[in-house]
Structures are given as structure tokens and as C-alpha cells.
Amino acid sequence: MLGPSNTISSMPRSGIREINELASQYPNVIHLEMGQPNFSTPEHISRAAGEAAVNGFTYYTPNAGIPELREAIADKVQSFNGLSAGPESVTVTTGGCGAIFTTLVTLCDPGDAILLSDPTWPNYQMMASLQGLEVRHYPLRAEDGWLPNPGEIEKQITPNCRAMILVSPSNPTGTMIGEGLMRELLDLARRHDLWVISDEVYDEITFGKPAVSAYGIDPDRVVSIFSFSKTYAMTGWRIGYAVARPDIATVLGNSQEPTTSCVNSLSQIAALTALRGPQDPVWAMRDAYRERRDLVMEMLSGADIAFARPDGAFYVWVDISQSRLSDTEFARRMVVNHRVAVVPGTTFGPEGGSHVRISLATDTELLLEGASRLIHAVRSGG
């Protein structure tokens, strides 16, 4: 009997999806597992895309995106992120996922190795498996504030290492890499002649200091990844972008031809409208996440449960070691016994074994009820 390829069969599944599927079998589950805003896309954005469809803007676009959108993105990264990048440095992609996958294809060959933190978003590992890349993990630890330690990274560097992926603000911990540490990490990459793929999709969801973009420090070796998904509550529109030096940006655009050809035209109009329109919805959503973060932190602190303080994104990385359960068993019991879906920490790597991730991107009342049930489960042993 014919079956799927060995490549796809060896790809690890996302633990986030596994928990989501388990939760779908039970009624009235509070969903704290998905990194999806509970807000709708702002109406003026959706309306612009609908009008574009009615007016016939339903054709292929250039591989790298329509010129107007690339110009608007260049304006945004200059004014908001402080980057010296023109439209020739911008490639419009099918979400942040498409940007990362295409960047890996562009920069790495099968057999090359990439450096990933542990814990980190599991889709990087999945992409690496599909592309025949070796993954070398470096640990993030509580004593380092869940931030990359250059010394630990250097231990993992081998002659076949080609790229390092950095994530700030972080999924799953919500921590952010400050400028000093970012410079240290880029110096390390320079010494070992590594590309740096900088995942910055939560760049506009920060709760104090702004995020530091790696591209702004070393544009020759960095590809920075951004997305409209989280910032504008546009997860289903599947549109993001990469910022790279112009010669690499050109190849990134060309690399999309055999996969998606281009991002769908209506999403590009929606993204253009998002950037050119009012930004009040962005700040309102950010402020809601900050309020929810503060309420959850207060609850966890009051219960003497440790967590990583999130300075950005919309997650809380919670230590469940008091429960004396494994993270996977704890997450399973949370669904079955408490009707709350959380993500086991080992979804993000072995270093996450005593943690779970909860998402702040849900209704405040439900979030607080879910956090209350989680606290009870930690203190009562599940």
C-alpha cells in the first residue's frame, strides 16, 4: 500500500493542535491554548478587501507583493521599528509562517544545521524537518530570565551551522531581547558567519519598552519576519512580510513562485488598508492584552505560582511543578477534569517540561476563570 513520504511522516506534530483536538471532544472548554486574537479584524480593513473583490482585483500579483504594499511596509518599519529599509528590502509573504519557511529555503541547504532555542515555537522544528535541516537546540532557563545565553548557544555551533533563529517578543515566554543582548547575539553570529532569522511577529504587542529589531543592528546578515496576523487580528488572512537586504529580498520573492506564486491579492489590499488606516484598534488590543496580563500575574503571584513575566506577545509561561505532574498529564487533566485547554511546555521543547503556556488572547472573564481553575489544579495536584 502506497503511503506518504518519509519526510512528511517524520515531521513532528504540533502539540498545540493536539490539545485543541482533545478539547474539541468536550463541551464548554475554555480555550487558552491558541495564539489567536479574540478580536475581529477592524471593519475598515475587511470592507476594503470586499470592495477590491467587487472591483475585480482578483488576479496574480508580483511574487514579492504589490508595489503600494511594499512601500507602505517600508514606511512602517522605518517609522515604527527604526529600520533603514526601502520597498526593495520587503517581501510580502503568506503569513509569518510563509516568511520563515521561504527564508529557510533561501538561506539553507539540506544537511545544514540551524540553531533553535528550547523552548520555542514548534513550527520551526516542523519546517526544518521538511527541509532536511539539522536542528541544534540551546536551552533557555529561568535563571537567565528565559533569554538566550550566548555561551550556551556557542556550545551548539558546529561547522555545518548555517543560521540562528531568534524570537522576540517570545512565543512561548513573552520575554524580549534587549539591545545589549541582541548585539551580543549578533556578534556571535558574525564570529561564526551565521545568518540570523529574527521572528518579530509580535513587534507591536509590547507592554513597556519597544521591541528591538535585529535587522536594525546588522542588516547584512539578518532577515526580520513580521506579520499582520497578531497586530491587526488578521490570522485568517494569511499575510506577513520579511525585511532583508535587497539581493536576499529578491530571492525571497522568487522563492515563492513554486509554492504560492504570491500572496492572495485581497489580503494585500487588506494589509495596505491596515497600514494606511487608523492605528487605534492596534493600541486598543495591545492595552487589553496588557490589562489581562496584569490580572493573571496578580492571580499567579497571589497563589505563589512562578511564571515568566511577559513583556510582549500575549502568553504567560506558567510553572506547574507544584502539581507534581508532567506537563502533558497536567494539560490533559486540565481539559478532561477542569475544561480548560492549555499547552504543555514540552510542545516547545524538553526545557519546558515543568511549564504550560496560556494565551491572553481570549475574553477577559473566560481567561480569569481559566486561570483560577489552573491555579486550583496546580495546588491540588491536578
Side-chain angles (χ1 to χ4, degrees), residues 56-74:
F57 190 69
T58 54
Y59 302 100
Y60 291 128
T61 74
N63 292 138
I66 59 175
E68 303 94 319
L69 178 55
R70 296 175 72 194
E71 290 170 6
I73 291 171

Side-chain angles (χ1 to χ4, degrees), residues 81-83 147-148 150 166-169 175-188 190 198 200 209-219 222 311:
N81 304 97
L83 308 185
L147 292 168
L166 300 176
V167 194
S168 180
T175 55
M176 296 202 306
I177 300 172
E179 183 175 351
L181 177 56
M182 187 68 81
R183 289 188 180 278
E184 288 185 50
L185 294 167
L186 292 173
D187 285 344
L188 175 66
R190 195 174 302 112
S198 180
E200 303 171 30
K209 293 181 179 179
V212 175
S213 176
Y215 182 88
I217 296 173
D218 192 347
V222 173
D311 294 319

